[in-house]
Amino acid sequence: MNQASIRRFVFTLITGYLAIFGVQQIPYEFPNQWAVLIPVLIVVYIITVWLDGVFFKDDASPEKLPAGVKKTKSKKSSKKSNGFGDS
């Protein structure tokens, strides 16, 4: 796992715990608490991924090249090998 995955995992755990705690603190008692918690946790995950992209956008894609830069293909040598001993 890379550093961004670990950071996002910990961030999701923290915000998920806060969301569950917040839902349980609502004075209304739900007949099926999971019917409320699952959509809340899905929304929390989406917001967590979005916030991770906002705060740590410099770690997202370090390998992108500018639009004007093109990769040059290296040409292989035209030397052919005739067998094991030929080099």
Side-chain angles (χ1 to χ4, degrees):
M1 292 182 82
N2 59 11
Q3 183 180 5
S5 297
I6 295 170
R7 180 184 62 233
R8 186 177 294 165
F9 177 70
V10 170
F11 196 32
T12 304
L13 282 176
I14 293 168
T15 54
Y17 175 77
L18 291 174
I20 291 172
F21 181 75
V23 167
Q24 289 178 348
Q25 295 300 315
I26 295 174
Y28 180 76
E29 187 169 333
F30 301 105
N32 186 0
Q33 191 173 7
W34 286 105
V36 176
L37 283 178
I38 290 177
V40 166
L41 291 175
I42 290 171
V43 170
V44 163
Y45 178 74
I46 292 169
I47 292 173
T48 301
V49 171
W50 176 71
L51 286 175
D52 184 58
V54 169
F55 291 136
F56 301 103
K57 61 184 170 187
D58 55 340
D59 294 341
S61 58
E63 296 184 12
K64 284 190 175 181
L65 295 175
V69 177
K70 293 184 179 180
K71 290 185 179 180
T72 58
K73 294 182 179 179
S74 61
K75 294 183 180 181
K76 293 185 179 181
S77 64
S78 61
K79 183 178 177 182
K80 293 183 179 179
S81 175
N82 293 331
F84 290 108
D86 299 335
S87 49

